[in-house]
Amino acid sequence: MIHNIKYKDRDIVISCYLPDGVLPDKNAVEELHQMAGLEETLKSLEAVQFFEKEAMPGIEKIILTPDFHKGSGIPIGMVMMTKGFVVPQAMGNDINCGMRFYTTGLTEGQVYEKLPELIKKARYIFFEGGRQIPMTGRQRQAMFLHGLLGILETSNDSNKSGLWKYYQPSVQEKWLGRTVFHGSINTDLAEGLEDFTGSYGKLTYDGQIGTVGGGNHFLEVQKVTKIYDGRAANAWNIKKGTITVMIHAGSLAAGHHSGLINRMLCQDIYPAGIKHPENKIYLIPEDFIVHNAWNRFWQASANAANFAFANRLFLGLMIQDVFTSVLGSCNMDLVYDAPHNYIWKKQSGGENYYIHRKGACPAGGYEEMEGTEFASYGEPVMIPGSMGSPSYILRGLGSKETLWSASHGAGRAKSRGEAIKGNDEEFYKFIEKFHIVTPIDPSRADLKGRADILKKWEEQVRAEAPYAYKDIDKVIDVHTGHNMALPVARMEPVFTIKA
């Protein structure tokens, strides 16, 4: 079902693609209406000739994906195409939060046989000091400036210590072609990140790289239960009964640092006497008048995006360490890595636009994937369900109507506060059959008397339980029905790692 939402005083129609019977979250719609203030901001800036006359800036189109729900100021599941300016808040602070998806040579039987050992090892590597990712300052600088390509070029600094023993330069070079932007958004400045970079030639450890993050972020070990598109599945090495890995993580503190720079830029460039937007949603024009701010915005965003690509890479090496330590040799093959919080430069009809995605996957078709190994199939689209629910991998159809986009998940049906107060019977039924790896192991003997710790752990799990989210199968049906993307395979969780 498509719901058309009109701004109170405007003619723009926003297409909202929701499952049948699901109405738009009114709090998310209110956030959307607040964005009408962008038009007033544009008028104010045009009145003082802030833009070149030829620029003709404006919001061209907005679509809302099936996982549309309330965010923090700007709703999640929103895709906006603009001309002449960008809105940093429309990609959020967790810049380049995204998905990474691997196939493996493991079968579900191999994994279930050693499940307790795998869970114990995963808790150690992810939460108990076992991740072992030493990097030199030169490597961190290369990461911020050149992303995965920078890491590739400096990988010898590590001397194969820690997780670097799993890093194969020839494989990683091939995988750049399976990563949006090749995992490398080149820039020449890492503003304000000197302390994090550290000593140029010395191997040191930091507390950020290789971190899942909180909220709905996760690393999930899954089993393939159904194949819908045998041709694409075969090309992507997805086989029924085998184990896959899906990672949802972003830029952590690096993203918040870059987001802070972007917010300061937005506020500082406004001419004297111009009223700042009441909704606190700012834009940065591409006009030469604020050229330095424009460049600093892209530099700061690139730093965070490059870090996020590297973060997901190392999370993949960490789960490979888990598999190898318990099961022996394990082959993992990357299918795709894509952001769902970023701003893409897009040409359409001979014009230049900016596609803002906040909680939405790119879903390019044959044309958009031309020149890549996905040209015959469409762009891989990873859509997870909630924790404990099935996930899907699809292939994009390049729909201009839906701004070449798809969902990045099922989308919340209940707020975290509502989910925490959810049905006890439903929750305990879920937790009994589901395997979750968190920093706290509730079965530990020394925690039996710590009701405070166990209560906090339970609340965090309840907030992400399946009943807090929309039905993933109905969300996938919307994609199929509106030519956004077509399913390739369905996966079900074996165990999920969450902070």
Side-chain angles (χ1 to χ4, degrees):
M1 182 185 298
I2 301 178
H3 297 271
N4 291 324
I5 306 169
K6 286 193 175 185
Y7 282 136
K8 297 172 184 176
D9 55 351
R10 299 181 56 221
D11 293 330
I12 290 183
V13 175
I14 303 164
S15 295
C16 181
Y17 297 86
L18 290 178
D20 287 342
V22 176
L23 294 175
D25 173 9
K26 63 181 181 182
N27 292 321
V29 172
E30 180 57 35
E31 284 185 324
L32 193 64
H33 283 312
Q34 290 175 10
M35 289 189 63
L38 273 174
E39 289 293 301
E40 296 304 315
T41 301
L42 281 169
K43 290 176 184 176
S44 298
L45 294 175
E46 288 170 352
V48 295
Q49 298 181 345
F50 199 54
F51 294 91
E52 289 182 314
K53 290 182 180 179
E54 296 81 11
M56 297 181 63
I59 299 172
E60 300 294 317
K61 188 172 185 178
I62 294 175
I63 71 117
L64 309 174
T65 67
D67 61 349
F68 173 63
H69 61 282
K70 184 183 182 305
S72 299
I74 289 181
I76 296 165
M78 185 195 78
V79 185
M80 176 173 69
M81 184 164 74
T82 64
K83 183 178 179 183
F85 66 90
V86 296
V87 182
Q89 288 153 288
M91 68 173 168
N93 279 335
D94 195 2
I95 298 167
N96 186 13
C97 185
M99 306 291 298
R100 190 172 177 92
F101 184 72
Y102 292 94
T103 58
T104 78
L106 300 171
T107 65
E108 59 178 292
Q110 288 175 287
V111 169
Y112 278 112
E113 185 180 0
K114 297 287 187 178
L115 193 55
E117 294 97 320
L118 287 166
I119 288 174
K120 182 179 179 180
K121 189 67 176 181
R123 182 171 283 113
Y124 168 70
I125 290 176
F126 281 81
F127 303 123
E128 296 175 352
R131 56 185 170 174
Q132 298 296 307
I133 311 173
M135 297 177 73
T136 64
R138 187 173 89 104
Q139 285 179 296
R140 292 191 185 94
Q141 183 181 58
M143 171 185 68
F144 283 124
L145 299 183
H146 308 297
L148 298 186
L149 185 58
I151 286 179
L152 178 65
E153 292 174 345
T154 60
S155 60
N156 286 337
D157 286 12
S158 64
N159 297 318
K160 290 293 181 182
S161 55
L163 286 180
W164 290 96
K165 64 186 175 185
Y166 300 109
Y167 186 95
Q168 302 175 53
S170 60
V171 172
Q172 295 295 331
E173 185 173 14
K174 180 178 73 172
W175 287 356
L176 294 177
R178 301 178 186 178
T179 308
V180 172
F181 308 130
H182 288 84
S184 310
I185 305 176
N186 292 319
T187 186
D188 56 10
L189 180 68
E191 185 176 348
L193 293 167
E194 296 80 8
D195 289 343
F196 181 83
T197 299
S199 178
Y200 191 76
K202 184 179 179 181
L203 281 170
T204 58
Y205 295 87
D206 64 73
Q208 288 287 304
I209 200 73
T211 302
V212 174
N216 64 345
H217 299 123
F218 64 86
L219 183 151
E220 189 165 87
V221 175
Q222 305 169 334
K223 58 184 178 182
V224 180
T225 57
K226 189 169 184 178
I227 301 293
Y228 298 90
D229 186 331
R231 180 170 166 269
N234 184 61
W236 300 350
N237 197 31
I238 302 172
K239 300 174 182 177
K240 187 175 179 180
T242 59
I243 294 296
T244 59
V245 175
M246 186 176 284
I247 300 170
H248 176 199
S251 49
L252 307 167
H256 285 272
H257 169 79
S258 296
L260 177 61
I261 290 174
N262 290 339
R263 287 196 300 276
M264 291 170 57
L265 287 173
C266 285
Q267 297 178 46
D268 290 348
I269 65 175
Y270 276 64
I274 292 292
K275 184 180 178 182
H276 283 226
E278 290 184 9
N279 59 6
K280 304 300 181 184
I281 299 173
Y282 292 85
L283 59 88
I284 301 179
E286 64 182 357
D287 191 275
F288 72 92
I289 297 173
V290 287
H291 192 60
N292 186 51
W294 182 252
N295 287 342
R296 284 180 68 196
F297 159 75
W298 286 109
Q299 286 172 337
S301 300
N303 295 154
N306 286 333
F307 179 90
F309 282 126
N311 189 41
R312 292 194 289 273
L313 162 68
F314 283 112
L315 288 166
L317 295 180
M318 288 161 67
I319 196 65
Q320 186 173 3
D321 193 20
V322 173
F323 289 145
T324 303
S325 299
V326 177
L327 302 172
S329 179
C330 168
N331 292 321
M332 291 177 57
D333 194 25
L334 180 68
V335 175
Y336 206 57
D337 185 307
H340 49 235
N341 284 3
Y342 205 63
I343 300 174
W344 280 251
K345 298 172 185 177
K346 176 73 177 177
Q347 275 201 334
S348 181
E351 299 280 359
N352 295 318
Y353 299 99
Y354 298 97
I355 304 288
H356 302 62
R357 293 188 176 99
K358 186 180 182 188
C361 289
Y366 306 133
E367 181 180 345
E368 287 74 29
M369 292 292 102
E370 186 177 352
T372 77
E373 59 186 283
F374 304 105
S376 299
Y377 309 99
E379 187 167 17
V381 176
M382 298 148 281
I383 304 183
S386 62
M387 181 173 60
S389 297
S391 297
Y392 286 80
I393 185 162
L394 305 90
R395 59 184 186 89
L397 297 177
S399 168
K400 183 177 179 180
E401 188 68 24
T402 59
L403 293 180
W404 308 273
S405 301
S407 292
H408 86 313
R412 297 196 75 91
K414 295 181 178 181
S415 70
R416 285 184 169 84
E418 290 172 330
I420 287 171
K421 300 172 185 176
N423 183 285
D424 285 347
E425 182 180 349
E426 192 174 10
F427 172 74
Y428 291 122
K429 186 177 179 180
F430 151 69
I431 206 67
E432 185 178 337
K433 66 178 182 179
F434 181 63
H435 302 285
I436 176 171
V437 183
T438 64
I440 294 174
D441 179 0
S443 66
R444 273 171 41 191
D446 61 330
L447 291 180
K448 294 300 182 184
R450 293 301 307 271
D452 55 335
I453 295 176
L454 293 175
K455 181 176 183 294
K456 185 175 181 180
W457 172 84
E458 184 176 306
E459 287 179 347
Q460 289 174 334
V461 176
R462 280 178 178 269
E464 299 299 323
Y467 51 75
Y469 286 81
K470 299 186 186 86
D471 185 316
I472 184 64
D473 296 320
K474 292 181 179 178
V475 166
I476 298 302
D477 287 344
V478 176
H479 288 78
T480 303
H482 293 285
N483 295 317
M484 301 167 84
L486 293 175
V488 173
R490 171 185 167 116
M491 293 76 62
E492 293 183 4
V494 177
F495 66 89
T496 302
I497 300 169
K498 290 185 68 70

